[in-house]
Amino acid sequence: MMSGPCHILIITKKKATDAIPLWTELHETNESMPDETEAEETDRLQGTEENKTISNICDVPDSLEDARRQLAFFFPNFDRKNTEQKFEKTLALIRPCVLRERRNSIMQSIKDDGFEVAMQKEITLSEEQAREFYKEHENEDYFPALLEQMTSGPTLVLALTRKNAIQHWRDLLGPKTIEEAKKVPNSLRAKYAIDNISINQLHGSSSLNDAQKELEFFFPQEHTLALIKPDAAKNHKASYFKQERVNSLVIVLDEIMQKVKDAGFTISKVKEEALTREMATQFYKDHEGKPFFEELVSCMTEGPSVIMVLTKENAVQEWRKLMGPTDPEVAKESFPESIRAQFAQNTLSNAVHGSSNREHALESIEYVFGEIDID
């Protein structure tokens, strides 16, 4: 791939059809060409390397998610050039005072305006965190009141997505000052203004660059350790026969691996390995001494596990959310799309494992993979 120039193409179907399976069909058609056609093609290309089949000389994404990722890598401004409205992500804050009283109403307004909540967390900011986030306002007269507001209780932090999300959310919020917002009575800042408080109760990113920085502040890229346990690793490989190279390791993707990819995780490291008792004890050291501990260790060491480092914003909590509750019966009832709801056998053989917090994740990653640079 580094031996010379590559041609990188964007291929588009004009009709409302999915280009990816059509391109795959073209691969298959080309590979099944009769010998006579192949001979003619070979003559035409005069014996050069170009007589290889399309599938040998072209690398094409096999899903819409992969296509979007590769487009963003090679053509970062493609959407800006070709679409008037861009699918974006923006930061929204619901500040403590209004969160206590009007959470449900505000969340309904967000939903009604076509936003999806990609990520969310509730956090009580320290004064240091509030000062850091609002440092560009530190010379303003309202800064002390802003600090007091932002540290007075939990703030709801949201990553909102939709087409043209940044400008649409700002339009929905209305003017920044309460006085100006009240001139636009349907704006959220006017509707949710609080008497005797001069600070507006909702925040939105002002530009694409600000959105990226603010989202990184509250939802930094994280790494977490994830395991597909032996019971799931051997029982759920039926639906995928495709291979993908990740850090020089070829792995067979199964249904669980596809759910990992669909959830937006990057697989930064991966290997298949049977856990030793020492490794299983390290992963579950918080449970050592409990009645089920020996049975849990036995389940974890009965065969190979797929061990991964997963990366995305808020990775630790996002992976735990995708796994679902420990008890598969509870998972089926409350989170039917979760991995454990669909693939777990019982509370111990429950398909997957994940680190419980960021510190545990980093410790476990170093334990399994050594000191590695995965940033």
Side-chain angles (χ1 to χ4, degrees), residues 88-226:
E88 296 172 336
K89 189 182 293 182
T90 191
L91 181 85
L93 300 180
I94 304 177
R95 292 178 171 138
C97 288
V98 75
L99 182 64
R100 287 190 286 266
E101 304 293 333
R102 309 296 297 276
R103 175 200 289 257
N104 292 341
S105 176
I106 295 172
M107 293 302 292
Q108 188 61 49
S109 294
I110 288 170
K111 181 180 178 181
D112 290 346
D113 263 85
F115 288 98
E116 295 287 339
V117 179
M119 295 180 288
Q120 71 177 65
K121 66 165 63 171
E122 199 168 302
I123 181 173
T124 300
L125 294 176
S126 66
E127 183 175 334
E128 181 182 4
Q129 289 173 314
R131 283 184 179 277
E132 174 63 23
F133 185 74
Y134 288 108
K135 59 186 177 182
E136 65 185 68
H137 302 282
E138 62 185 353
N139 294 322
E140 302 292 343
D141 293 340
Y142 57 77
F143 189 65
L146 179 61
L147 285 184
E148 182 180 356
Q149 279 287 302
M150 292 305 299
T151 57
S152 64
T155 292
L156 186 60
V157 186
L158 305 169
L160 302 181
T161 62
R162 59 158 287 165
K163 285 186 177 180
N164 210 28
I166 295 168
Q167 188 57 51
H168 193 85
W169 177 239
R170 290 182 64 78
D171 291 343
L172 194 62
L173 291 177
K176 287 186 176 181
T177 67
I178 299 297
E179 183 180 340
E180 290 298 315
K182 287 182 176 179
K183 296 177 183 177
V184 187
N186 289 327
S187 67
L188 295 185
R189 283 172 173 156
K191 288 170 64 176
Y192 297 108
I194 295 179
D195 293 340
N196 303 319
I197 296 180
S198 60
I199 304 297
N200 69 65
Q201 294 300 303
L202 297 142
H203 169 86
S205 304
S206 58
S207 67
L208 185 60
N209 286 338
D210 283 348
Q212 291 171 341
K213 288 189 293 185
E214 292 176 359
L215 287 166
E216 175 66 20
F217 182 90
F218 285 106
F219 302 104
Q221 285 280 317
E222 286 183 348
H223 309 294
T224 192
L225 189 82

Side-chain angles (χ1 to χ4, degrees), residues 265-278:
F265 288 97
T266 297
I267 304 171
S268 300
K269 292 284 180 181
V270 62
K271 64 180 177 179
E272 189 173 19
E273 181 176 343
L275 299 187
T276 64
R277 178 181 174 84
E278 180 186 1

Side-chain angles (χ1 to χ4, degrees), residues 259 321-323 331-332 334-342:
K259 289 180 78 70
K321 177 180 175 182
L322 182 61
M323 288 194 299
K332 289 173 185 176
S334 55
F335 297 94
E337 296 302 314
S338 67
I339 292 173
R340 285 169 173 161
Q342 297 182 7

